[in-house]
Amino acid sequence: MGRRLVPLTLDNLPDLPKRCRTCVFWELDPVSGEAALKAGRSEREKKSWISAVLLEWGSCGRVVYIDDVPVGFVLYAPPAYVPRSTAFPTSPVSADAVQLMTGWITPGYQGQGLGRVMVQTVAKDLLRRDVRAIEAFGDARWREPACVLPADHLLAVGFKIVRPHPRYPRLRLELRTALSWKENVELALDRLLGAVKKEPVLRPL
């Protein structure tokens, strides 16, 4: 199977599940988000947000394709671009970190390691951009797909809790740690994405 992870853009935004491409849970504060939903302009707000982040900061997501069929995505950005994060009891996200906002893998492709590969791909992207860490709010009581990622999944892919909470702990992945993933990343990418071009060894920050 041909598998690839590509940067999220306005062109491939329609490849996200409809409920995700029209969701502005993270992109707007709670009041503005509710207003956008009621007014039927949440999809437009999503596009505006992605456009602004791409222009001002750069790539803010990855979409996973298998045989050219979109099967998952991940979204991330500096906390200044994520208004909803300030509403969490374990906020704020650290100033030296980028926030992993949300992600999704189509049920038929879950349990194949794609979640870990997505996080590793984000880590490699951010290392090139001199970012020190990734942080995320996890849901410790996660039961079904939602905007907040399950805390157990974040722990399983290398995050550690930096601010505990019974429902929404804040977790952190030091990107220096990602350097030790090099062999695992290449092995996983070879297995899941096919032959990839080898990159120079990343130097510690």
Side-chain angles (χ1 to χ4, degrees), residues 11-25:
D11 289 336
N12 59 18
L13 178 62
D15 288 344
L16 271 57
K18 181 173 176 56
R19 68 180 184 84
C20 297
R21 66 176 181 265
T22 60
C23 175
V24 288
F25 177 87

Side-chain angles (χ1 to χ4, degrees), residues 16 24 29 31 47 80 87 92 115 148 171 176-177 181 186 194 196 200:
L16 271 57
V24 288
D29 65 79
V31 174
K47 291 178 180 178
V148 184
L171 301 95
R176 284 194 183 93
T177 304
W181 292 351
E186 291 182 350
V196 296

Side-chain angles (χ1 to χ4, degrees), residues 82-98:
V82 192
R84 172 72 70 150
S85 67
T86 61
F88 279 72
T90 49
S91 67
V93 170
S94 302
D96 65 347
V98 161

Side-chain angles (χ1 to χ4, degrees), residues 49-122:
W49 183 88
I50 291 173
S51 179
V53 178
L54 285 171
L55 180 65
E56 298 169 10
W57 182 68
S59 180
C60 58
R62 290 288 187 274
V63 184
V64 186
Y65 295 88
I66 296 181
D67 292 336
D68 294 325
V69 176
V71 300
F73 78 94
V74 62
L75 198 61
Y76 54 97
Y81 290 97
V82 192
R84 172 72 70 150
S85 67
T86 61
F88 279 72
T90 49
S91 67
V93 170
S94 302
D96 65 347
V98 161
Q99 182 179 343
L100 180 65
M101 298 158 59
T102 192
W104 165 258
I105 297 173
T106 300
Y109 296 90
Q110 294 172 6
Q112 299 180 21
L114 286 175
R116 179 179 293 274
V117 170
M118 285 197 295
V119 170
Q120 292 169 340
T121 301
V122 173

